[in-house]
Amino acid sequence: MKIERVKCWLVEGSKYNWTLVKVFTDEGLTGIGEATNWPGSPMVLAACEHVAKVVEGEDATRIDYIWTKLYRDMNYLGRAGPLMGAISAIDIALWDIAGKRAGMPVYDLLGGGYRKKIQLYANYWFLGGDGSPESYAQQAREMAAQGFTACKFDPCAHVNYRYGDDLSDNGSLSEAQKQLALDRLLAVSGALGPSFPIAVETHALLNAPTAVEMAHRIAAKGINCMWYEEPAGPEFPDAIAEIKRQIPLPVCVGERLHSRYMCRPILDLHAADFLMPDVTRCGGISELKKIATLCECYNVPIAPHNPNGPISTIASAHVMAAVPNFFRQEFMMMDVPWRDTVLDKPLPVNDGYFHLSDAHGLGFDLVEAELERHPGVVTPRPGFYI
């Protein structure tokens, strides 16, 4: 079964573009994939369009071969970034095709399901507020009312996850900024109750002493912290391990670890209590499954990063159905209204769970006309990461 062509789209999301693909074969079967990453989504799209030409004519059933060939041939460009996004998108689409060809859902092809209800935690539930502790608390109550039983947010930011134009503070926080972060956390914790876990995001925007100090101050407030996320960047696995040893909170990293090769140093150093690889960045379904298996060897639960488009949610759920060490999967609670209309049916999310069906492949298709009604944003605008 030969790959005839691949179509690629840049589609507007809530705060950044989605990069979506569809693979067509000479047997008439098609598969959908996603490569969403930012900032720099036009580079991700260009990588997908380039890789699309490379895989034309390849046998669509040779999923691992295609992954390995693309990775080995192209990693002169680096082990992460747009290239791995393109590999991820093609890989997801090929698994979709394989499931349709076999007449099975992808999770069965991966070894069968441990579960068909994938527990989610909510992110992007706070976009409607003004950043005040009170607005966080109100939105937290609205989020919990939808059935979610855990959430995540960055209390040191509001909706801006960049360093900004002034780098002179070198990842420090003023005392006022520290207190505001604690006030936000206390407000959310008070609104949700002590049994509701909160993942504390830092986006690797804090220097090590500040990250350590804030972790201790959060713990002293009695916050039910599900994990403390990215206390340092992926360049610093030893520093992450050292921070983990110094703080009383569990640590989670992985959204910027773009393959099993990048995950292994973190695991070898016992630098993380949870790992959160992203299916659109780490190499797709094939690599997410391999990373989950690698994590088993270190007794580390896996909680996929997923603030992406809808195919990312679907693909992650299929892999998480088929691994024993799944914890929770991230989900964008607030999103563009066309998240469901670009698919042939809505995402099956109810009461804080993604409900997998027995449909073949990934179980969904793209509505191309709807994709084209929402083209990606390419002109800078406030609050949007191109």
Side-chain angles (χ1 to χ4, degrees):
M1 180 170 54
K2 300 297 183 183
I3 297 173
E4 283 192 329
R5 62 190 175 100
V6 182
K7 291 186 70 173
C8 309
W9 295 269
L10 204 62
V11 179
E12 181 182 355
S14 62
K15 290 183 67 62
Y16 34 79
N17 294 316
W18 307 332
T19 309
L20 309 179
V21 309
K22 188 168 186 176
V23 174
F24 297 78
T25 68
D26 63 356
E27 291 187 10
L29 293 175
T30 62
I32 59 175
E34 181 171 345
T36 297
N37 205 343
W38 71 91
S41 57
M43 292 189 288
V44 180
L45 177 65
C48 288
E49 290 171 340
H50 177 74
V51 169
K53 296 298 183 184
V54 173
V55 299
E56 283 182 7
E58 292 284 358
D59 184 344
T61 67
R62 302 179 74 190
I63 300 173
D64 198 64
Y65 167 83
I66 290 173
W67 194 103
T68 303
K69 178 172 174 54
L70 290 172
Y71 182 83
R72 289 182 179 178
D73 284 352
M74 295 186 177
N75 72 5
Y76 294 93
L77 296 172
R79 298 182 299 150
L83 169 64
M84 287 304 292
I87 292 175
S88 301
I90 296 297
D91 182 84
I92 293 167
L94 294 182
W95 276 102
D96 188 20
I97 290 167
K100 291 171 181 174
R101 195 180 199 215
M104 300 166 64
V106 167
Y107 62 79
D108 275 343
L109 287 183
L110 295 173
Y114 286 84
R115 59 195 68 81
K116 291 174 69 175
K117 289 175 59 180
I118 307 302
Q119 191 167 25
L120 308 171
Y121 71 89
N123 196 1
Y124 282 62
W125 48 270
F126 46 79
L127 296 182
D130 60 8
S132 67
E134 296 75 19
S135 70
Y136 270 103
Q138 178 57 37
Q139 290 179 100
R141 285 187 283 267
E142 294 168 0
M143 171 266 297
Q146 294 192 32
F148 294 99
T149 55
C151 71
K152 179 166 78 179
F153 77 108
D154 183 343
C156 299
H158 179 44
V159 294
N160 180 24
Y161 302 143
R162 283 180 172 160
Y163 281 97
D165 297 324
D166 183 359
L167 304 185
S168 61
D169 63 2
N170 191 33
S172 298
L173 296 172
S174 68
E175 181 56 34
Q177 289 171 322
K178 294 172 185 176
Q179 191 58 56
L180 178 58
L182 293 170
D183 289 345
R184 287 167 171 166
L185 275 167
L186 286 169
V188 171
S189 180
L192 298 173
S195 63
F196 197 105
I198 302 168
V200 179
E201 170 74 275
T202 77
H203 291 101
L205 292 174
L206 306 179
N207 60 39
T210 304
V212 170
E213 177 193 350
M214 289 303 296
H216 281 282
R217 293 178 70 166
I218 290 166
K221 296 294 184 181
I223 304 297
N224 182 354
C225 182
M226 186 163 73
W227 64 60
Y228 194 56
E229 186 168 294
E230 285 198 305
E235 308 94 323
F236 309 113
D238 293 282
I240 296 170
E242 181 58 31
I243 291 169
K244 179 176 177 290
R245 283 189 285 269
Q246 292 185 40
I247 67 175
L249 305 178
V251 168
C252 180
V253 298
E255 68 181 82
R256 305 184 219 198
L257 302 175
H258 291 208
S259 69
R260 75 200 99 140
Y261 308 114
M262 294 181 73
C263 291
R264 183 180 170 184
I266 291 288
L267 295 168
D268 282 343
L269 290 165
H270 302 284
D273 298 285
F274 299 90
L275 215 66
M276 52 165 192
D278 187 314
V279 74
T280 72
R281 303 177 186 178
C282 77
I285 287 171
S286 296
E287 195 72 354
L288 182 56
K289 179 68 159 60
K290 290 174 182 176
I291 291 170
T293 301
L294 181 63
C295 286
E296 278 189 77
C297 299
Y298 294 83
N299 197 30
V300 171
I302 192 162
H305 181 258
N306 176 47
N308 303 321
I311 302 173
S312 173
T313 297
I314 298 161
S316 298
H318 275 269
V319 181
M320 292 304 101
V323 300
N325 53 330
F326 167 63
F327 179 61
R328 291 179 188 257
Q329 177 174 317
E330 185 173 11
F331 183 71
M332 292 273 284
M333 198 195 85
M334 291 184 179
D335 210 336
V336 290
W338 51 88
R339 175 172 64 191
D340 284 333
T341 63
V342 300
L343 299 171
D344 60 347
K345 51 185 171 290
L347 291 179
V349 173
N350 295 293
D351 299 322
Y353 287 85
F354 185 101
H355 297 262
L356 283 160
S357 73
D358 297 322
H360 302 164
L362 292 176
F364 294 81
D365 200 357
L366 291 171
V367 180
E368 295 188 26
E370 186 69 5
L371 294 176
E372 288 157 10
R373 275 193 281 271
H374 305 286
V377 177
V378 294
T379 302
R381 74 184 192 199
F384 198 91
Y385 305 120
I386 295 174

